[in-house]
Every structure is written in structure tokens, then in C-alpha cells.
Amino acid sequence: MTAFNASRRRFLAVSGAVGTGALLSSCVTQSPSASGGKSGGPVTLQSNLSSPQAKTSMQQLVAAFNKSGGAEAKLNTVASETFRTQLPTYLTSANPPDIYTWYPGSVAESYAKKDLLLDLDDIWGKPELSGYSDALKKLCTSTSSGKKVFVPTSYYWWGMFYRKSNFAKWGVQEPKNWDEFLDLCDKLKSKGVAPIGLGAGGDTPWVASAWFDYLNIRVNGATYHRELLAGKHRFDDPEVRKVFDTWDEARPYFDPNGTAIPFQDATTALLQGRTGMMLIGTFFADAAPKDALGDLDFFQFPIIDPKVPVAEEAPTDGYFASARSKRADGVKELLSYLAGAEAQELYLKNSSGTALPTHPDAKDAGTPLVVKGRKLIESAADVTQFFNRDSSDALQPTADTALVHYLAKPKQIGSILTTWQRSAQKIWSQ
């Protein structure tokens, strides 16, 4: 094993260890391949990767697979937020798409409980997946049935992104802690720049959850954060109120349009220098012009309390399949291909290249940005996924409502948290 592969495996071991609360559980429907699993027509791959570069990369992947001479695949690309809301309908329809871009964790767990996910145990024994870490194998396994239901293909990090040329023009540098971060915000605001972009408007209000996640894991720690999202603490607890007290220190520096525009438009504002920096995942780079990628950089979300172990957000992405698929053999052929090093490298080559592959032999883009991102993740004491991935898609709208309300009317935080707790309790009680 190379040092690079060993380091990646160490990260994945951490992510598996800390993510046990979000591991897949429940029953999984047996594969239709037990009775043949064959039907005419191509395997349908339903994708939420709708930004230009990501969509092109998926098209290239499917084209390469179709040249292999085996099963045939057809790509259906759906706008990300439409996909998110329609996913339950897709999976419960009489004739659903076969494969879906998504992620392991609570959402996959909820579908596995309803017998909607295909048993993928047999492909996990194939060469394409045999070298995956034990942590990833565990992350993709239903804990009650012991069946694999997910194929991971990439992971990525979140950070405070900015343009190097803009920071140089403004004469500012990356901050090392919360106080330096607020000083940076002061300097940018004095230059007529909105210091912090957001993009929680339109159909991407969930972006605001990154700020809640990071402030909570910096103030209260990752363990408390995951317990809160699991219903073991209350959103109106004093610990959560402390999160918003800290947020109040940075709130005056947010772009006034932050809750009016989606993250794609916030990305444009960042690239054009109308905002100074933005807390976002690397997926945003797929919406940026390729000639701007070399000018992008990021810094770690500032440390607030040095006594709190440092955690970072590093979500895992990949695929699961419908248990109702009539083309299970073709589904598994395509998933085996997507799990391989060649396919993952092809995807990175045609996209922004800012994600990290899960296959132990796949090479990442190797850019300074990616090297820095990998180092950030591997040096973390703990790893979280993201608000809905550490809780559920059902809980996410409660956060969207509460956080957008807070940004608009921060003085109402008391009643906002009371309402958030009431809404969350209804979800947890289901």
C-alpha cells in the first residue's frame, strides 16, 4: 500500500468510526437477479449532478460504459433540488429508474427500511470493490440485515473559499482563528466588499445549514452535534443558543442578498469579487468556469474554542439502486464499473476535479487545492457529513426555515428555536 492510499484509508476509517449513528439499517429487498433480474432496455441512471461540468462528466462515464460491450445505460439528469424532493416518488413508483446518485446514511436507511433498495452484496465481492476500506464497507451496509446497499465513489470537503487574486488585490490573508476572521470581515467591509457570501435563497436554503453545522462543531463539538441531530438534545438548549450568539458576531458581515439568491448565483458573486468568501463544499467549483479554478483557494472554518477537538465536514457520495429494478444484472454491471478506479478518474478528469475518489487505487487531480483539502480532512480529529446526512432529509426543512428566519430576524431567536424544536420533535417522533 502506498503512503497516499494509507492516508486515505486512515481518513475513511475515521469517517466510518464517527458516522456509526448514520449507518444504514433495516431490511433490504432481495435482488430480482435471484429470478433472473433481466429485462429489455437500457439501465436508467437518475442523476442530480446537473451543473455543467458534473453533467458532462456523467455523460462521459455513461458513454465509456456503453462502449464496453455489455449492458447499456441511459443517463437522466434532473435539477438537484427537484431530484431531492422527487426521490421518494422515484423509488416508490411502479416502474422506477434503476440507479440513483445519492449518499449513504440516514436517507438510505429510511429507504432500506421500506424494502426499496437493491441488495448489492454480490458486487462488493468483485475486484472493483474488494480493496475498499472496512470503514467504507461498514458505511454502505444495512446494520440489521447485514446487506450492502450503497456504492461510494467520492468524498469532498467544505471550507471558506475565496479567489487568491481578490485577496491579493485587497491586501488580506487567511485568518487562523475566529478573532482574525472577524478582523478580516472588517477589512473587507471597509473596502466596500460584502465579506461573506451565502446563497441560501431560491431552492438552496440548505446551504445555511453549513454555518450551523460548523459553528456547532466548533463551539460544542462533533459528538454533541450528532446527538442533537439525533434528538438526544433540544434545539432550544443553552448550548444551541450559544451557537447563535457566536453567529451574531459574524452575521453583520453576510451579503444582504444571501438569503435571496441560490448558491449558484452566490458563486458568481464570489468569482466577480462582489463577495469576499463563502462557506461551501467543493461541488460549487463544478458551476465555476474552468479558467477560474486555478485562482480558487480556501481556509479552514476558523477555530473558535481551541479546547474543542477539530472536526470537519466531509460528505461521501455514490449510488444506490431500486429494489424494483427489472434489470438487476445490468444495474450491478454498471455499479461495478462506477466503483472502479478507471471510472472515478474519468469523472474527476472531466469535472472540476475537486472531489476525492474512494477507490484506493484511483488518483485524484493532484492540484494544490485538492492536496490542501485532503490534508484538511486527514488532520481532523472527527468528521461529520452534513446536516441532513447526519440526521434526515425530513429534518432538513426544519433547519431551512429556522436558519433563514434567524438571518432575517435575529432578535426573534428565542421563538425561532422553540419552533424549531417543536417541528423537529414531530420528525423524531415518527
Side-chain angles (χ1 to χ4, degrees):
M1 191 192 317
T2 65
F4 170 72
N5 289 335
S7 65
R8 181 189 289 137
R9 285 170 185 252
R10 283 196 299 272
F11 156 66
L12 293 173
V14 171
S15 67
V18 302
T20 54
L23 294 180
L24 309 180
S25 62
S26 66
C27 303
V28 180
T29 294
Q30 290 296 315
S31 163
S33 61
S35 59
K38 296 179 180 179
S39 181
V43 173
T44 53
L45 171 52
Q46 200 84 342
S47 171
N48 70 329
L49 303 175
S50 55
S51 63
Q53 292 183 52
K55 182 178 179 180
T56 297
S57 292
M58 292 299 294
Q59 291 170 338
Q60 294 288 338
L61 273 181
V62 170
F65 173 77
N66 286 340
K67 291 178 182 178
S68 65
E72 182 182 355
K74 177 184 177 182
L75 178 68
N76 295 327
T77 303
V78 181
S80 180
E81 294 310 307
T82 300
F83 184 103
R84 183 186 298 274
T85 58
Q86 290 297 314
L87 183 56
T89 302
Y90 297 151
L91 284 168
T92 54
S93 64
N95 187 29
D98 298 302
I99 299 175
Y100 307 79
T101 56
W102 211 230
Y103 45 80
S106 59
V107 176
E109 176 186 351
S110 68
Y111 294 129
K113 284 180 178 178
K114 298 173 183 177
D115 298 341
L116 296 173
L117 300 187
L118 187 64
D119 172 3
L120 303 176
D121 261 5
D122 48 354
I123 69 170
W124 271 89
K126 293 187 175 183
E128 293 85 356
L129 288 117
S130 61
Y132 275 52
S133 70
D134 288 343
L136 273 180
K137 292 175 184 177
K138 189 175 182 181
L139 187 63
C140 298
T141 301
S142 164
T143 55
S144 62
S145 71
K147 303 294 185 181
K148 304 288 192 304
V149 294
F150 194 85
V151 171
T153 55
S154 65
Y155 62 99
Y156 63 94
W157 71 96
W158 284 69
M160 297 294 304
F161 282 84
Y162 65 92
R163 290 197 75 154
K164 291 183 283 189
S165 59
N166 284 340
F167 266 36
K169 178 176 65 177
W170 297 325
V172 296
Q173 296 179 334
E174 294 182 358
K176 302 300 181 185
N177 53 49
W178 186 249
D179 288 339
E180 289 186 12
F181 174 70
L182 296 178
D183 287 342
L184 170 61
C185 290
D186 267 335
K187 291 176 182 177
L188 293 177
K189 191 169 184 178
S190 71
K191 296 176 183 295
V193 177
I196 304 170
L198 183 61
D203 57 4
T204 63
W206 51 267
V207 172
S209 291
W211 274 89
F212 178 78
D213 284 359
Y214 259 110
L215 287 167
N216 200 22
I217 63 179
R218 290 289 187 263
V219 172
N220 295 313
T223 299
Y224 176 89
H225 179 66
R226 280 190 294 268
E227 289 177 350
L228 173 67
L229 270 53
K232 296 180 180 179
H233 303 290
R234 297 175 57 89
F235 283 104
D236 53 2
D237 280 348
E239 290 85 354
V240 178
R241 185 61 180 263
K242 187 176 178 181
V243 168
F244 286 91
D245 289 343
T246 305
W247 199 339
D248 278 342
E249 297 175 8
R251 183 179 44 77
Y253 301 112
F254 275 65
D255 178 11
N257 295 318
T259 57
I261 59 175
F263 86 80
Q264 295 90 339
D265 291 343
T267 297
T268 300
L270 176 72
L271 295 175
Q272 293 178 349
R274 289 185 276 120
T275 59
M277 51 197 162
M278 183 177 175
L279 177 61
I280 197 70
T282 61
F283 57 82
F284 92 103
D286 283 327
K290 277 213 166 185
D291 59 6
L293 293 179
D295 194 35
L296 291 177
D297 204 347
F298 77 96
F299 57 88
Q300 178 186 49
F301 191 91
I303 302 300
I304 297 172
D305 183 351
K307 298 188 295 295
V308 175
V310 176
E312 304 294 345
E313 299 252 69
T316 299
D317 290 334
Y319 305 88
F320 55 43
S322 169
R324 301 181 181 184
S325 172
K326 300 178 177 64
R327 292 170 282 271
D329 291 344
V331 164
K332 293 177 180 180
E333 186 178 338
L334 177 54
L335 286 174
S336 295
Y337 169 77
L338 294 169
E342 179 182 352
Q344 292 179 22
E345 290 177 1
L346 178 63
Y347 179 83
L348 293 176
K349 177 182 177 182
N350 291 295
S351 69
S352 64
T354 53
L356 297 164
T358 53
H359 194 287
D361 297 328
K363 298 177 181 177
D364 61 37
T367 63
L369 188 73
V370 168
V371 171
K372 186 177 180 180
R374 179 156 37 85
K375 182 179 179 181
L376 173 79
I377 296 169
E378 291 172 353
S379 65
D382 207 341
V383 176
T384 54
Q385 292 280 310
F386 190 77
F387 188 95
N388 63 324
R389 301 187 186 211
D390 287 325
S391 59
S392 69
D393 269 355
L395 194 65
Q396 183 66 59
T398 70
D400 297 344
T401 300
L403 300 180
V404 171
H405 189 177
Y406 159 72
L407 289 166
K409 297 182 178 180
K411 292 183 178 180
Q412 297 181 9
I413 187 58
S415 61
I416 290 171
L417 294 183
T418 299
T419 302
W420 191 2
Q421 173 59 27
R422 187 182 304 120
S423 300
Q425 191 59 54
K426 293 178 181 178
I427 303 298
W428 291 325
S429 299
Q430 291 177 356

